């Protein structure tokens, strides 16, 4: 996990706590899930696609805090078999890269799609 992302997320959560936002509890749980996955699940050689997708969804929800006024983020999950196993943290690199380039491009709508396995 990128330390810059972690510090930005903590700052965003702090901002929500100051305004006593109702979003704060669920976002804190998402961050907790993200950290738990990063620390414990990644010790395995392979994880279920379901866990990897859940990790990416949590990551995107936390990124939305920073970008909610600037862009619309759409994630479409069209994977048929979420029990397939892949190397942990394999897909998040693409999602992180999309957010990195979103900041540079100024694009107002970003879509991320996982297509069906054939």
């Amino acid at each position: 996990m990128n330390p810059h992302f972690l510090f930005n997320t903590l700052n965003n959560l702090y901002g929500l706590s100051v305004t006593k936002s109702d979003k704060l509890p669920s976002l804190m749980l998402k961050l907790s899930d993200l950290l738990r996955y990063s620390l414990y699940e990644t010790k395995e050689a392979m994880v279920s696609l379901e866990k990897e997708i859940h990790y990416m969804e949590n990551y995107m929800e936390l990124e939305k805090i920073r970008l909610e006024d600037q862009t619309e983020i759409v994630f479409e999950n069209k994977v048929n078999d979420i029990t397939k196993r892949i190397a942990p943290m394999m897909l998040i690199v693409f999602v992180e890269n999309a957010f990195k380039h979103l900041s540079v491009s100024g694009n107002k709508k970003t879509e991320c799609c996982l297509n069906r396995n054939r």
Side-chain angles (χ1 to χ4, degrees), residues 37 41 47-56 82:
Y37 183 84
E41 299 290 331
V47 296
S48 71
L49 193 52
E50 178 180 27
K51 288 182 178 181
E52 190 75 2
I53 291 169
H54 183 68
Y55 179 84
M56 291 187 315
I82 58 174

Side-chain angles (χ1 to χ4, degrees), residues 13-30:
L13 293 176
Y14 172 76
L16 291 173
S17 72
V18 169
T19 61
K20 302 196 184 335
S21 172
D22 292 337
K23 297 178 186 178
L24 184 60
S26 67
L27 291 171
M28 288 181 69
L29 285 176
K30 290 180 187 311

Side-chain angles (χ1 to χ4, degrees), residues 92-105 110-112:
I92 192 64
V93 181
F94 300 106
V95 175
E96 289 173 334
N97 203 31
F99 279 101
K100 177 182 175 186
H101 290 284
L102 172 68
S103 299
V104 173
S105 74
T110 298
E111 295 187 24
C112 181

Side-chain angles (χ1 to χ4, degrees), residues 45-96:
M46 305 291 272
V47 296
S48 71
L49 193 52
E50 178 180 27
K51 288 182 178 181
E52 190 75 2
I53 291 169
H54 183 68
Y55 179 84
M56 291 187 315
E57 289 170 336
N58 284 339
Y59 180 91
M60 288 183 276
E61 285 300 315
L62 291 168
E63 280 285 13
K64 284 180 185 180
I65 304 169
R66 180 175 63 89
L67 300 168
E68 70 183 345
D69 295 335
Q70 301 168 17
T71 192
E72 176 185 357
I73 298 161
V74 178
F75 176 70
E76 245 179 75
N77 178 355
K78 295 181 180 180
V79 176
N80 286 333
D81 186 1
I82 58 174
T83 63
K84 294 214 184 248
R85 299 184 64 75
I86 63 171
M89 307 296 278
M90 188 158 129
L91 301 175
I92 192 64
V93 181
F94 300 106
V95 175
E96 289 173 334

